[in-house]
Every structure is written in structure tokens, then in C-alpha cells.
Amino acid sequence: MMFLPGGILEEKIQGFLEEDIGQGDVTTLLTIPHGIIVEAEVVAEEEGIVAGIEEVSTFLRDLGFKVDIRASNGSKVEKGTIAMRIVGDARTLLSTERTILNLVTRMSGIATKTRRVIKKVRDAGYKTIIACTRKVAPGLLYFDKKAVMLGGGDTHRLHMDDLILIKDNHLAIIGDVSEAVKRAGKVASFSKKIEIEVSSEKEALDAVEAGANIIMLDNFSPKKIRNTISLLIEKGLRDKVFVEVSGGINEFNVVEFAATEVDILSLGEITASTKALDMSLDIIKVMEE
Amino acid sequence: MMFLPGGILEEKIQGFLEEDIGQGDVTTLLTIPHGIIVEAEVVAEEEGIVAGIEEVSTFLRDLGFKVDIRASNGSKVEKGTIAMRIVGDARTLLSTERTILNLVTRMSGIATKTRRVIKKVRDAGYKTIIACTRKVAPGLLYFDKKAVMLGGGDTHRLHMDDLILIKDNHLAIIGDVSEAVKRAGKVASFSKKIEIEVSSEKEALDAVEAGANIIMLDNFSPKKIRNTISLLIEKGLRDKVFVEVSGGINEFNVVEFAATEVDILSLGEITASTKALDMSLDIIKVMEE
Amino acid sequence: MMFLPGGILEEKIQGFLEEDIGQGDVTTLLTIPHGIIVEAEVVAEEEGIVAGIEEVSTFLRDLGFKVDIRASNGSKVEKGTIAMRIVGDARTLLSTERTILNLVTRMSGIATKTRRVIKKVRDAGYKTIIACTRKVAPGLLYFDKKAVMLGGGDTHRLHMDDLILIKDNHLAIIGDVSEAVKRAGKVASFSKKIEIEVSSEKEALDAVEAGANIIMLDNFSPKKIRNTISLLIEKGLRDKVFVEVSGGINEFNVVEFAATEVDILSLGEITASTKALDMSLDIIKVMEE
Amino acid sequence: MMFLPGGILEEKIQGFLEEDIGQGDVTTLLTIPHGIIVEAEVVAEEEGIVAGIEEVSTFLRDLGFKVDIRASNGSKVEKGTIAMRIVGDARTLLSTERTILNLVTRMSGIATKTRRVIKKVRDAGYKTIIACTRKVAPGLLYFDKKAVMLGGGDTHRLHMDDLILIKDNHLAIIGDVSEAVKRAGKVASFSKKIEIEVSSEKEALDAVEAGANIIMLDNFSPKKIRNTISLLIEKGLRDKVFVEVSGGINEFNVVEFAATEVDILSLGEITASTKALDMSLDIIKVMEE
Amino acid sequence: MMFLPGGILEEKIQGFLEEDIGQGDVTTLLTIPHGIIVEAEVVAEEEGIVAGIEEVSTFLRDLGFKVDIRASNGSKVEKGTIAMRIVGDARTLLSTERTILNLVTRMSGIATKTRRVIKKVRDAGYKTIIACTRKVAPGLLYFDKKAVMLGGGDTHRLHMDDLILIKDNHLAIIGDVSEAVKRAGKVASFSKKIEIEVSSEKEALDAVEAGANIIMLDNFSPKKIRNTISLLIEKGLRDKVFVEVSGGINEFNVVEFAATEVDILSLGEITASTKALDMSLDIIKVMEE
Amino acid sequence: MMFLPGGILEEKIQGFLEEDIGQGDVTTLLTIPHGIIVEAEVVAEEEGIVAGIEEVSTFLRDLGFKVDIRASNGSKVEKGTIAMRIVGDARTLLSTERTILNLVTRMSGIATKTRRVIKKVRDAGYKTIIACTRKVAPGLLYFDKKAVMLGGGDTHRLHMDDLILIKDNHLAIIGDVSEAVKRAGKVASFSKKIEIEVSSEKEALDAVEAGANIIMLDNFSPKKIRNTISLLIEKGLRDKVFVEVSGGINEFNVVEFAATEVDILSLGEITASTKALDMSLDIIKVMEE
């Protein structure tokens, strides 16, 4: 959902590498002679959706490698699929291997899970939007959200300045849903939508009547969701609002929630409980410069 | 295993916050008046080991909050345990809540898993060291390793300059285990240990004879591990070397590997496949300044 | 419209100071003894709306100054009004004076102009939203937008990730307004609005029919605007869309545009053609430490 | 007056872009396919002097664009003059367009005004140096000063370490002009000039006698300036000092001040009250990669 | 010669610490319990001039230490003199000890040598200015120059923007001394002096006649210097120019050069060949928190 | 001992350049026309070992220069030896000359001294390891250690996270050598060695018995060292430990210490008291672009 011109991502990945490498890779300097060129493959060790391939390729090309992308961002791989082929300086590759793999396997893990959740929902016949939340690994906001997008999910807020989202802790201070929406509506930029978290059917109706563009049903059971939707329909408000449900939804119960006909289901666990996709980097050919 | 003086961690957490906040928190400014003081609690929503509590507390104190730590780093919490109590400016808290929680819940998730793995091994009567690898989330090397340490695990290399660790891809170039160890031994600083990854019993013996301080048995089955250990004992080499096993070990088969009497088991999944510990931040009291 | 927790703004202002100060303030060290405490006033030299006062106050307090704000952000000052009173180390104040004034006078200049434009529109009886654009001074996005907000204007997009805004150059590639809106609508996050720039009445209708939330009439004359509005009303589409006009609007013709009953008028010149508000910093008392 | 080797400016401009782009350009990714190449022109929409052209060209070339400069830094353009022709990746261009234009139009606006002021002075037959002050936009010291230079003006101090300049607030502490100059003279590096702001004819004479290299007549009327110059001539001191006048000078009265035969006139408004030169970027051709 | 407001130096010293500490101090965490308070002394192990004391004190105070300065910047110490007494957290002190000492001992070594050179010149009855050059340790420009200043030397250029200094390599391109000075004079800001390096008596005269404010006699023998001075006197030019000599001057022959009556002697070795002053940090008292 | 992939060193050297250049090189812009290409040589002005050549070459190549390395890192040069030949833009070379030379001459000075010390020891027939300490110039840890390595020395700790090294100030708190080693041994990662500083023969024995991998004899006289070694041999502990001596060793007495048959001699002065190797950069050919 977002495009970054050259240089910005490379700088972030360089930062990850610098953290890992410290004062330098002592193993490589001691054991690998200067001037060796290698060919290596990044291979999937299990089935999944790859992500981060283009991000690390740009970075590797900046470091002087030739990179041949075999499985592009968002595509499906099987055990044994070669995702990238890399040719270049052996010392540099050995020093960056772990940083690159850590990024690609995390992003691929997130994309894989997102796609799996969406597939379940689509297979059951629902068009519900599947979104992530801001529960990302600190510092990886861009990469985690990009991975969700590549898996087919909705990125939700990109950060705290692109959507007005009034949550339970705001309401603990303001007290009243209608008042909160009105207060925001009076001063918000026309360029932003207004969303609010609600905890009861009544609050849901109040919020929509006060002008909220999106309501987030927080920890509602499927039954409570259906009640809310029915009430909105009754009052003729269903078309005026996007309905999001968040809290307690996971890969296993997602279809049950989708069946309630809400618009959006958001799952914190897509980015917060991640299983890196198993991938490895293997040197397959050694040449002199 | 590592101590950082004030300022360094705070700067990193500030960086995470800046990424999340963009041009500013639009919701908070629009809905929450200036000058509100709140009291909030960070509460565990499930059982586990907390980590990151002291890291975020220092950060919050720098932002002007009073923080009362109720569950210190490394301690066990139950569902409902209050980990921290925080008092201070409402707007600032609402803007930093997610960044803080993302860090604490990730670190606590890693510490919890580490502790669980270690408990299984200790309960089975083994003293094997349980270590993580460098498979961390990019940019979170310090935090992920610190969480492992708080869970009772060994941090392994902190980055690429603190241990000579010759891996399969190095060997793909050098060709020979003995040669690799000798090459490193000739030029390595006396202050560093030398470790090498081996793929057969013979390589294991060669490595130890060539002077390796640690050998890493890569993807060995328990049976193959036992063979290797027996051979080392036969040759009188067992006391000269630490034996680490890596590859294919997880929470469920770890005891089987521990039973082989190796010194160290390292599990990539401790940091690479993480389930954030469920925790929330709740405002419990609202005051005027 | 946006709130930043402590530390972020101070870091930016510190960066401005570092650029200005180079290897250090040679004048101050040579002529002012260590340990002098001064009291100083920041005084308006002309009528206007002040902005940036709270931003620089936080920065000055971090440097150890006592700051008494006399004219808060967004308030009106006359020639001679004291905006702030500052007490602290003479050397530090002399070294930071220009950086502080440059920020406050620029922001105040922008707030003053914004307020003046809005006053004209309100005095003529219109409720039109007056917005700025992204035509800010490079690096000053936050400060310029904040100043607009303090003057009563709408900040529009805070950066490129918070609104989908399809402009003439996008259309030069895509070719067709309907196609552009539909393409965006199919993949955009539910959390974002979609705006599109149009160059004819037909394009305006097409855009709304395709689902745009906001249309921007680019360089339309007041007459052409009225035609567009009429057509939207005729088609029953007026309530479905925000209508923004941009291009060729300035302080002098703004009322004429407001009279067309559009929703938003955006003026690049509010931030791109700025006249700093004349303000000075005067030391009024000298004390020993 | 200053030369920066490659990399430094690009890093600053990259910083401006990063601020603007946030988590990425959502519009461009959603609407523009990968692999489109465009040709675009930067065109002047009004008469003026262009500046910043070479700065942004280097930046664009680093991003992979071919750039053909048609109007070099400091040259005059008419309405319709093409300043640059740019060929390259459509997505990247659409994402950087505003950042580039913001820099070029601000710098060109400053250069245009500087040139206009100087032309008035030269047309009236005076050789007076026209200088800017440190009243720049925060963070844009280099760019604002460079624009002044391209307009033909003197950059004055580049920052606080390159000239000893004793101002009114220093004197509020030191008390006496002679004492201030002598104090500075005793310890200043031989590599720096000493300038002092004076508020009366007597102070002007005292400063020169104490050894000041430059005196700045602060807010002197033309008549008071003439008196001061006469007194300096009388005392045989005119050749020993540069005379600068600052305060209250603008585009409209500058000739009157130049007529006093001072050496330097410095105008804060050249950089503090800027009108961006109107320029646009238009895509004129769309190609496949 | 230069003053920096709070925050800037601390940031630089923090950077030095971060480089040294990597992922954290493993020794301190493992061996020193949390909550120990210590009192420590920084003691001179040999005679010299201390420098950097105030710089590191500010840094230590920011880290929460109480610091009592016993030997202020620029003062003389004997073997055994206590320069600072520090009270605070044991872990933090053990982690920062080496960074602090590295800065203080380098700066003190530079100040000591500068003072010794100057003393020789003054003892021989000459008032010659003793200056350093830009031959500093990379990244330590501020600290090395500050140390020279504290030793009583002249800091010369603070960086490349505060003096026009035409050197041999510029002349290798321009060809002619007069031409070079004139070219610079035509466009240089009035705020800067112009200096040029010359390699013969003739070039010296040409440079002064062309308007150079300072001439640098490059690698002149004392005899050649005297000739040049005589020629300048003959031509009535001696008062119009500062004469600097650079190249081949050291602690041992400096008096011989001073005897030539030039104005400035600059010695690269003051900052390029440094002997750190021997100082140590000793914990003298251990307390519980 | 350490390898850094492209980009990291260049960024550090760029930082050094930025510090030196400030707002830009005023001399070069004023006197050297755009578009001049020069050929230059970096020449040794005295005998020594060069270091830093490859580091600055990479940096220069990034700036667009063609660089021909004539004397590679670690090789010996005589007075007059050409170390590098550089071809490229004149303005850029004149602006970077000093930064490059400062780095190369410092590193070469350190490498030269290291090699000289080692030669003395080897010529006397000893194989003792010669190591540096952490007494480096702040911010130059990588470069100073790399220079030691190029001179043939051991880099010792690269920073505070790669060796457990318990020093006198730790012992001032812990009190007891055995206790300190045991405490560290219980929690240290298996990947790190444990070293401890001892001040008596008894402490040396205690440390080895407690399991220290390395002992550092602090300020021991050669006689006391011999006693310690004898005692270790007597107790059968000599083979279990590396023996390092530190304190009071210099170029002149190093052989006397080597004669004691310790394993490692570490000299702070290699990096703390440095004499830059005299080298110059001369433009030898001037061309038009």
C-alpha cells in the first residue's frame, strides 16, 4: 500500500546489518581470502508466501551483488523453491547472510500467515477484509505492514497520524462515545477518517449517529456482533459506516467471525505472533575474482 | 549478560516511538485536553515470564512518568498480575502505549518460551545449556538476546565480532574443517574462542584435533550425536571442547537432544518464532494536573 | 492536529541549533564570562498570531532555562507584547537566540497569515475550510503544518501515507479519472480516504461516481466551480463528496472562491510565501550566578 | 561561497524526502504500475532567477534519473522556461516531486529577490555589497545562503564559528563597546575578523579605535549613517574598517541606504520573508520500461 | 574559542561510548550487583595540563553522577593531583570509565604539549602566536582544537568554511599567487580573511600586494623567513599582513623560528603526534544504594 | 581481525569529512573552476608501514575517483614511496584531502609503531603476542584496532561485549579474585572467555584455580612475572591459562618483558601515544574535464 523511493529502505537494512556486525565479522576475515566470488541460492525449506525479496535485493545490489529474483514478493513457494540467486563477493555475502535471512524469513512468515487466514475466509465464501493492527515488532512497522499487504491483508493505520482512532483508553478519559466522536469531528482534518472503539451495541449506535466513519467492535462475540449489525440495519445506519471487529480473533475462529457480515476483521497475532518461514542461503559455486 | 549505561536504550526506544508516531498522534490531540494526569496499569493477560519491564520504565521515567515496577524483569506473572503502575501525562501515555507494549510483550514472549524449554530440560534432569542463535528480528538484537537471558538462556554470540564461528558456507569455500580451524587459530585474537560447524563425526574429531574450542553439530540426529560424543571420549578429547547441537531442535524434542549429554542446545525458534505475551495497559484513574 | 511526546521536537530543534553553531559560538566564549545569568524577553515587534512558543519553551527548559510563557500558541499579540520571559545562562542564551527566533518568527508568520485569510472568509459569512498544501519549507513539515493549525487552518495531508491523492501527474500516466479512482478503491486500505484532482466538470462527476471521497478542482475559476457544484446537485451527488479547490487562490481573491460554496479552499502560499513575524529577544537584566 | 563534496547534500535532501514520505507513498503504489518510465519537465511559471537546480539534479541522478539541466543555477528564467528535463521511473518521480519542487522554488525565490535588490542598487550606480543575515528557515542554512550567493549577494557568517560578531545582547552584558572589542581581540584567533554592532556615532568611533575590523550600524537612519561616515573620515579611520548597516532596510528603501556610501547593507528579509518562485513539474511522456 | 550549549557535546561523547560498549558490558553485569554506589577519583599519574574535564563532567552529570571538579580545564596538575571526584552507580561508572579517560587523557596530552611549546617561546622572550593545524584525529576536531586552546594555543581554522586558505594544491591548479588572491578577493564574503601559502620570497610579496590578509610561509628556513620579513619591511607591507610559518617546526626548534619575528608558528604535531597524559580512575569507596 | 561490508566504513569517513567541512569549503569554490580533473599522489615522507589505504580508497571511489593503490595495507614504504594515485574532480579532492590524510597518517603511525615493537621482540627471539588495549582515540576504535592488526599486533577486545575482563575497579567492589571469577563463570555465555587482572602471585594462582581462561598481571616487574610463571608451572596450571602482562611496558623495555615467557604483552601507548606517519598528497597533473 506504500511505495518508498530508493535509498530509504536500504538505509534501514544497513542499520540492521550494522547492529549485527559490530566492529566487524572476525570469522570471515580470518578464514576467507580476499577476492573470492560465490554464487548462492536462497531456498525455501517449507511451503509459504515469500515477502521481503525485493527489499533485500535492492540492498544486495547496492552492495555490488548480481541478484536474480526467482520468486517475487507475494508469490507462493514450495519446499525447495529457489527464491533468489546471488552472485558476488564471498566475504560480503557471509557477513550479510544472517541479516538478510532474518528480514526475509520474518516477512515471509507474516505474509504466509496472512494469506492462510484470508484463504480460509474466502473458501468459506466471505469477502471480509482481513487487517493487521499496530502490534508489530518495534522498529519493523514498515516491513511487518508490507508483509501483511503482500499476503493480501489490509495494512490498517500506517502510523498514528493517518487515522483518528479513539480507543478504550481515550474513552476512559472522555467518558462518552458521542462526545468523543463529536469532539474529533469538530477539529479533525477533512482528509482523515474517524474510527472509534465501542464496547456495547448502544455505543455502536451512538458512535454512528455522532458521525463516526468506522466503528471497532472490541471483543464482541459473534452473537453480539450480529445484534449490532441488526440494530444498525434497523436504524438505517448500516451503509454509513464500516464495521471492524477486533479482539480474540485468530486463525481458527476467523470464519465464525466472518460469517457475521462485518466489513473488517483485524488480528493482532498476524504480526505479533509470527513464525519465520524456514529458508536458507547456500553457497553453490566458488570462483576466483 | 550485558549492561548498557543510561541513554543508549532510551534512544533506541525513542526511535521505535518516532517510527510509529509519524507527524504526531492526531487522535490524542483532538480528543484529550491538555493537562490531564492518569494512572495506568500494565497487566498480564496470561501466565508467563516478563521481560523489558526495566527497559521501558527507564524510558517512561525520562518522559516524566512515575513508574512503579510490580513484576521485575525475569519474574513470573499470572493472568491478572500487574507488572507496572504508571502515573503521568495522559496525552503522552496514549501516544506511547503501543510502542511500550509492543516491546514488553515481544520480550516477555521470548522469555516465557525460553523458560519453558529450560524447565522441560531441567525437569528431565539435564543441565544442558539452552542457547538462542542470531535469528532475531532485525534491529532487535539487544532486546531479543536480553529476553533470552531473562528467561534463563544463553545469549550465544552478541554479534559477529565476539566469537569465531565457522559455518557451512565458510566451509563451502575453505573446503576442509582442519584447515579452517588452523587458519583461524593462526591469526585469531587470544581473546576469542573458535567454534566450527561440522556435518559428520569425522569432521567433529578433525575440528577438535585442529584446536577448535567449540564444535557445533549441525542437524545431527540424537543417535549421531551420541556416536560423536563416544568417539570424542575414546580419543580423550571430550574435555577439550564444548559440544553444541543446532538444527531441528524445538520445544517438543528438546529433552531427547538433552539426553545425549551435549553441552549446549541452540534453538533458532526461541527468537524467530515468537508469540507475544498477552498484556494490556489500562487507565484506571483520571486526574486534573 | 497532531501531538508529539517529549523528546522528538527537542531533537529536531537541537538539529537546527547544531547546524547554526558549527564548532561553537566564538563570540560568546570570548566576550561573556562563565556564570552570568540573564533575564530576557521575546517581544513582538508587530501585530500577529504567535506560534512555536510552546515548542521552543520545551527546548529551552531542557537546556536549563526557566521560561514564562506570556502569549500562548495561537494567541494574538500587538506590537510590544511580551511573548516569553526567559531566565538562565547568558552564554547558552546568546548561542541559541537566533535558532529560537528563526523558528518562532516563521511559525508565527504562517499562523498570522492563515488567521488573516480565515478572518476574511468568516467576515464574509462563509464557513469554508481553509487548508494548506504540502508546499512547505523542506524539513519543516511538522512546524509549518502546526503553525497553520494554530492559525485555524486545516493541515491537509501530513505526509504521503495518510490520504490517497491522485494528482495531474498520476493522471498523465493512468489517463482516465474513473479508472484511477476505481484502481485505488480496489486496493486502498479502508482506513484512508481517496481524493482526486480533476480538470473539468465531467471529470468531477466521473470521479464522484467512481467513488472518490474528495475531489480537488484544479485551477477552476469561480464560475467553473459553480457549474460543477450545480451538476453535482443535479445528479444527487453533492452530499457524497467533499469539494476542494486549489490553484490560483490567494489572500485577495479567497472570498470570491468561498462564495462558490465549496467545502475546502487550499492555498499553497500560506506556507510557501511566508513573511516571518517581526519579533526580538532582548536581555533586560544581568545577574551573577 | 562554499563547496560540498558529493554525498553531503544528497543526505540532507534524502532527509527532507523521508520526512514527507512517512511509511510510503500510498497513492503511487496503488495507481501506478511498476516499470513505467516517464519524461518530465520542471518549468518556470513566472520570471526569476533559478537556484537549487544542481542540488536536486545530483540527488535525482543518485536515484537513477537522467537529468538534463536547461537553466543552470543563477540563470534567469521567463514564464515557460524549462529548467530541467528528467527521465526515469514514474513511481519514484511521483514520490519525490514535491520535495524537489519545495527546495527549488524556495531557493529560486530567495535568489530572485536577492538579484532584484542588487539590481536596484547597481542601477542607481552603487557598488554596495548586499548581504543576508542568519534569519534563515531552521535547518536550511546551507540552502538559503547558497541561494543568496546565486542571486549575487554576500552570505555573511556561515555559522557562529566563522566571525566574531558582538551584538546588542552581548553588549547588554559587557556594557562597553571598547571593552568588548578589546576583550575579543586579546583572545580571538588570528584567522577571524571581529565585527561589532553599534548604536551611536560615538560607539562606532570607539569600536574602530579599539580595533574592530567591521562595524555594524544597527537601525541607523541614512542621516545618522552619513554622520558616522563623516566622523570616521575626519578621524582618518574610514580605511581601517568595513561599515555594515542592518535593520529596517528593505527592497524599497535600499537605494536610499546605498547612497550613504557604506560598504555593506544586510537585509534579514531576503531569507526570512520569502516568496517561492512559481514552478511546476509536468510529465510529458510515458513509456514502458 | 568556541562555546557549545548543552546537549551537543554530550551527544558526541555518548557516540564514543556506544561504539565502545557494543551490545553491552558483559563483565559488569555478571560481576557487579545492581544498586552499588561508588566514589571514584580521576588522578594524574604525571605532570601536565588537564583538558576535557568539564566536557566529561557534563556528560557524567547527565548520567546521574555527582562530580566534583578539582582541577579545572587548563590548570596544571602534578603526579598524584586529583582532577575529579565522582560519586554514583557502580555499573555505569565501570562501563564508561575507559571512554571518559580516553577523552580526558588525549585532550590533556594535547594541552600539555601546547603549553610546553608556548612556554619555551615565551621564556625566550617572544610573543609569537602558537597555532595548531587541521591535522587532528578524524572526528575529534572540536576536542583537539579545544585542547589546544586550553593549552594557550591558537585554534586556527575551525573548519573549511571559516577562512579562505589557498594552499599548494590549489596553486598547482591556479598557477599564480597574485591571480589566486585576486580571484578569491573578488568573490569572498567580507566576513572572511584570505590567507595563502607561498613558497618563495617573491610569492610572499606578490600575495601581500594582491591583498592577502595572511601569508603562510611553507617550509621556509629561518634564514628565508628573515629575508621575507626584510623584504616586506622594505616595501612598507609588513603592517598589512599577518605572517604565519608552517612546516618542519617542532618542540625542539620552535624558538629558532620564533626568533625570526613572524606572527604565527603553526605546528601540525601538536594534534597529530600526541602523547596521552597518564591518568587513572580509581574507586576509593563502595556503598550500598 | 574484522571485516566490514561496503557502506559502513564509508559512512564513518563521510562523518569525519562533514565535521571538517562545515557549511562547505569556501576556498575551493572561490578559486577552482568547475570541471577540472586532477591526478594526485599520496606519498610517504618517511619510512613506515601504511594502513588505512584500502579504507580511504573505497571512500574515494564512492566519490567518483579512480584510485590506484600502490602500497597496500600493511606494506612497508620508504621516504618517497607512492602509496596511492588518485584521478578525479579537483574541487572534491581539495575538500577531502585533509580528512583522508588525517585518517591514513594516524593509522599508518599506529601500524608502524606496532610493527617496530614486534620486530624488536621477534629479533630477540620471542614469539610473545603484542596486543593493544582499549586506549584508543574516542570514536576511532575500529580504525585504531585495524591499524594495530595491520602492524601485526593482536586487537584484544573489540569492545566491551566480546570478553569478560574483570579489572582492578571491579575487584575494588567484589573484593576477591576467586569469587569474581566464579561469579562470572556461573553466568557467562559459553561463547566468551574470562580474563581477570591480578596484582599478586597469590591472586594469579587463585584466578587460575577458579577457572579464569586468561590472567592479566597488572604492573608486574619482570621478576614478579617470572615468579608467577614458576608458581603456575609448579602447580601444573601453566597450560590451563594465557598469561598477559599490562602496565609500564613500552617500546624500549618490551624485550625485557618478553623474556619472561608470558604469552601476551599489551601496550596502551601503541594507540594512545601516536605519531602520525608523515605523508602528503600532491597534485601532479591538471586536466580539463
Side-chain angles (χ1 to χ4, degrees), chain C residues 20 31 134 159 161 183, chain D residues 20 23 31 134 159 161 183:
Chain C
D20 187 39
T31 61
R134 279 194 306 123
H159 38 218
D161 67 10
R183 204 184 281 180
Chain D
D20 187 40
Q23 291 294 333
T31 60
R134 279 194 304 126
H159 37 218
D161 67 8
R183 205 184 277 180

Side-chain angles (χ1 to χ4, degrees), chain D residues 21 25-26 49 59 93 110 125 181 223-224 258 266 279:
Chain D
I21 212 158
D25 176 355
V26 291
I49 304 300
F59 178 67
L93 188 64
I110 292 174
V181 174
K223 193 181 152 194
K224 197 169 164 186
S266 55
M279 301 176 82

Side-chain angles (χ1 to χ4, degrees), chain C:
Chain C
M1 301 298 207
M2 56 261 196
F3 171 78
L4 287 177
I8 300 178
L9 283 182
E10 290 78 353
E11 198 178 284
K12 291 192 188 197
I13 303 180
Q14 177 85 352
F16 300 150
L17 177 60
E18 287 181 26
E19 182 189 56
D20 187 39
I21 211 159
Q23 290 293 333
D25 177 354
V26 291
T27 308
T28 295
L29 190 69
L30 297 179
T31 61
I32 306 297
H34 178 82
I36 302 283
I37 299 295
V38 289
E39 183 173 338
E41 289 172 352
V42 174
V43 185
E45 303 287 345
E46 59 178 323
E47 187 188 316
I49 304 300
V50 291
I53 297 292
E54 275 138 41
E55 283 74 8
V56 303
S57 295
T58 316
F59 178 66
L60 287 167
R61 286 184 188 120
D62 271 12
L63 286 178
F65 289 98
K66 277 202 252 179
V67 182
D68 180 20
I69 296 179
R70 297 301 190 85
S72 61
N73 266 353
S75 67
K76 200 177 169 183
V77 291
E78 307 295 330
K79 181 171 162 53
T81 304
I82 295 167
M84 312 162 68
R85 197 158 269 164
I86 305 166
V87 178
D89 179 57
R91 285 179 165 185
T92 304
L93 188 64
L94 288 162
S95 301
T96 50
E97 170 187 349
R98 179 48 43 209
T99 298
I100 291 163
L101 284 180
N102 282 348
L103 190 60
V104 169
T105 58
R106 177 178 174 85
M107 287 181 71
S108 298
I110 292 172
T112 300
K113 184 168 190 172
T114 306
R115 187 72 61 88
R116 200 167 56 225
V117 169
I118 291 173
K119 190 171 183 307
K120 285 190 182 178
V121 171
R122 299 288 171 271
D123 285 355
Y126 302 106
K127 296 190 171 166
T128 332
I129 292 170
I130 301 300
C132 64
T133 67
R134 279 194 306 123
K135 294 186 176 175
V136 299
L140 294 174
L141 191 55
Y142 176 84
F143 299 100
D144 283 7
K145 295 260 176 183
K146 181 77 184 288
V148 167
M149 184 197 106
L150 291 169
D154 189 301
T155 53
H156 216 296
R157 278 203 281 185
L158 290 178
H159 38 218
M160 299 187 79
D161 67 10
D162 60 352
L163 172 71
I164 292 145
L165 174 36
I166 303 162
K167 305 204 68 176
D168 52 353
N169 276 329
H170 294 93
L171 289 169
I173 298 168
I174 311 167
D176 181 71
V177 160
S178 294
E179 162 66 14
V181 173
K182 279 176 197 153
R183 204 184 281 180
K186 215 177 303 170
V187 280
S189 170
F190 71 90
S191 62
K192 309 267 178 290
K193 292 188 175 177
I194 298 177
E195 175 167 12
I196 188 162
E197 202 172 296
V198 296
S199 58
S200 69
E201 288 89 337
K202 188 187 173 306
E203 280 190 2
L205 290 183
D206 288 353
V208 183
E209 279 162 354
N213 303 108
I214 314 168
I215 52 171
M216 181 194 286
L217 314 185
D218 181 34
N219 278 304
F220 276 40
S221 66
K223 194 180 152 196
K224 197 169 164 188
I225 299 169
R226 283 184 217 270
N227 282 347
T228 310
I229 301 274
S230 302
L231 282 167
L232 286 170
I233 293 171
E234 258 173 51
K235 302 267 183 182
L237 298 170
R238 184 63 187 91
D239 291 349
K240 300 210 165 160
V241 71
F242 272 98
V243 181
E244 176 181 1
V245 179
S246 194
I249 312 171
N250 58 44
E251 198 177 335
F252 306 104
N253 63 17
V254 66
V255 171
E256 198 184 342
F257 281 92
T260 61
E261 301 283 333
V262 294
D263 302 301
I264 306 134
L265 294 173
S266 56
L267 289 78
E269 65 160 33
I270 293 182
T271 49
S273 296
T274 57
K275 199 202 140 299
L277 192 74
D278 195 4
M279 301 177 83
S280 62
L281 184 151
D282 304 314
I283 290 179
I284 56 164
K285 210 166 150 188
V286 180
M287 299 158 269
E288 297 290 313
E289 206 170 5

Side-chain angles (χ1 to χ4, degrees), chain D residues 4 8 15 21 25 34 42 44 52 68 82 128-129 168 179 186 189 214 218 249 270:
Chain D
L4 286 177
I8 300 178
I21 212 158
D25 176 355
H34 177 82
V42 174
D68 180 19
I82 296 167
T128 332
I129 293 169
D168 53 353
E179 164 64 15
K186 218 177 301 171
S189 169
I214 315 169
D218 181 35
I249 312 171
I270 293 181

Side-chain angles (χ1 to χ4, degrees), chain A residues 20 23 31 134 159 161 183, chain B residues 20 23 31 134 159 183:
Chain A
D20 187 40
Q23 291 295 332
T31 60
R134 279 194 306 123
H159 38 217
D161 67 9
R183 205 184 279 180
Chain B
D20 187 39
Q23 290 293 333
T31 61
R134 280 194 306 124
H159 37 217
R183 204 185 278 180

Side-chain angles (χ1 to χ4, degrees), chain B residues 2-199:
Chain B
M2 55 263 195
F3 171 77
L4 286 178
I8 299 178
L9 284 182
E10 290 79 352
E11 199 179 284
K12 290 193 188 199
I13 302 179
Q14 177 85 352
F16 301 148
L17 176 59
E18 287 181 28
E19 183 188 56
D20 187 39
I21 210 158
Q23 290 293 333
D25 176 354
V26 291
T27 309
T28 294
L29 189 68
L30 296 180
T31 61
I32 306 298
H34 177 82
I36 303 284
I37 299 295
V38 290
E39 184 172 337
E41 288 172 351
V42 174
V43 185
E45 302 287 346
E46 60 178 324
E47 186 189 316
I49 305 299
V50 290
I53 296 293
E54 275 139 42
E55 283 74 9
V56 303
S57 295
T58 316
F59 178 67
L60 287 168
R61 286 184 187 121
D62 271 12
L63 285 178
F65 290 97
K66 277 203 252 179
V67 182
D68 180 20
I69 295 178
R70 296 302 191 84
S72 61
N73 265 355
S75 67
K76 200 176 169 183
V77 291
E78 307 295 331
K79 181 170 161 54
T81 304
I82 296 168
M84 311 161 68
R85 196 156 270 163
I86 304 166
V87 178
D89 178 58
R91 286 179 164 183
T92 304
L93 189 64
L94 288 162
S95 301
T96 51
E97 170 186 350
R98 181 46 44 208
T99 298
I100 290 163
L101 284 180
N102 282 348
L103 190 61
V104 168
T105 58
R106 176 177 175 86
M107 287 181 70
S108 298
I110 292 173
T112 300
K113 184 168 191 172
T114 306
R115 187 73 59 90
R116 199 166 60 225
V117 170
I118 291 173
K119 191 173 180 308
K120 286 192 180 176
V121 172
R122 298 289 172 269
D123 285 355
Y126 303 106
K127 296 189 170 165
T128 332
I129 292 170
I130 302 300
C132 64
T133 67
R134 280 194 306 124
K135 293 186 176 175
V136 298
L140 294 173
L141 190 55
Y142 176 85
F143 299 102
D144 283 7
K145 295 261 173 181
K146 182 76 184 288
V148 168
M149 185 195 104
L150 290 169
D154 189 300
T155 54
H156 216 299
R157 278 204 280 184
L158 289 177
H159 37 217
M160 299 187 80
D161 66 9
D162 60 352
L163 172 71
I164 292 145
L165 174 36
I166 303 163
K167 306 202 68 175
D168 53 353
N169 276 330
H170 293 94
L171 289 169
I173 298 168
I174 311 169
D176 181 71
V177 161
S178 294
E179 163 66 13
V181 173
K182 280 175 196 154
R183 204 185 278 180
K186 217 177 303 170
V187 280
S189 169
F190 71 91
S191 61
K192 309 266 177 292
K193 291 188 176 178
I194 297 176
E195 175 167 10
I196 189 163
E197 202 172 295
V198 296
S199 58

Side-chain angles (χ1 to χ4, degrees), chain A residues 36-72:
Chain A
I36 303 284
I37 299 295
V38 289
E39 184 172 338
E41 288 172 351
V42 174
V43 184
E45 303 286 345
E46 59 178 323
E47 185 188 317
I49 304 299
V50 291
I53 296 293
E54 275 138 41
E55 283 74 9
V56 304
S57 295
T58 315
F59 178 66
L60 287 168
R61 285 185 187 121
D62 272 11
L63 286 178
F65 290 98
K66 277 202 252 179
V67 182
D68 180 19
I69 296 179
R70 297 301 191 84
S72 61

